[in-house]
Amino acid sequence: MKTQKTIVYAAFAAIVLSAGSIMAQEKQKPSPEQVFKKFDKNKDGKLTKEELEGKKILERFDKIDKDKNGTISLEEFVKSRTPKKKKPASEE
């Protein structure tokens, strides 16, 4: 009986530790603002194609640059990383 309790406790502890590890990983995901700052090498508040060279986001540069000024602002960057909400069928 004592062995069964020990096994059940060990299994419970493993589950709790796994859940905590998963939650910690989710919390570590950088915010769009943090990613923007990392890409903004010269710290001027704008992203250029040169700063994004070699990054996958460069493929979408022109689509993200909504005002077509040749740079991506923080606002444009954040909007590009925010999932779009689908309109209900009744509004389409």
Side-chain angles (χ1 to χ4, degrees):
M1 186 71 155
K2 187 174 182 179
T3 303
Q4 286 179 324
K5 286 182 181 179
T6 302
I7 292 171
V8 170
Y9 177 76
F12 176 75
I15 291 169
V16 169
L17 290 173
S18 295
S21 175
I22 291 169
M23 289 172 58
Q25 288 175 357
E26 289 176 3
K27 289 181 183 178
Q28 292 175 356
K29 186 176 180 181
S31 69
E33 291 83 1
Q34 291 170 321
V35 174
F36 183 91
K37 287 180 182 179
K38 180 180 174 188
F39 289 158
D40 186 13
K41 293 183 177 32
N42 65 0
K43 308 298 179 207
D44 66 351
K46 301 176 241 173
L47 300 179
T48 63
K49 289 184 177 182
E50 292 77 24
E51 288 173 311
L52 298 175
E53 197 169 312
K55 307 281 190 256
K56 190 169 178 101
I57 190 172
L58 185 58
E59 298 169 5
R60 300 183 355 240
F61 188 96
D62 293 327
K63 187 174 183 178
I64 297 169
D65 180 18
K66 296 292 184 189
D67 61 6
K68 306 298 180 206
N69 67 351
T71 63
I72 296 175
S73 68
L74 176 59
E75 181 180 354
E76 290 170 326
F77 185 79
V78 170
K79 283 182 181 179
S80 77
R81 305 219 0 153
T82 305
K84 296 190 183 345
K85 295 180 183 178
K86 292 186 176 182
K87 291 182 182 178
S90 61
E91 291 183 24
E92 291 180 356

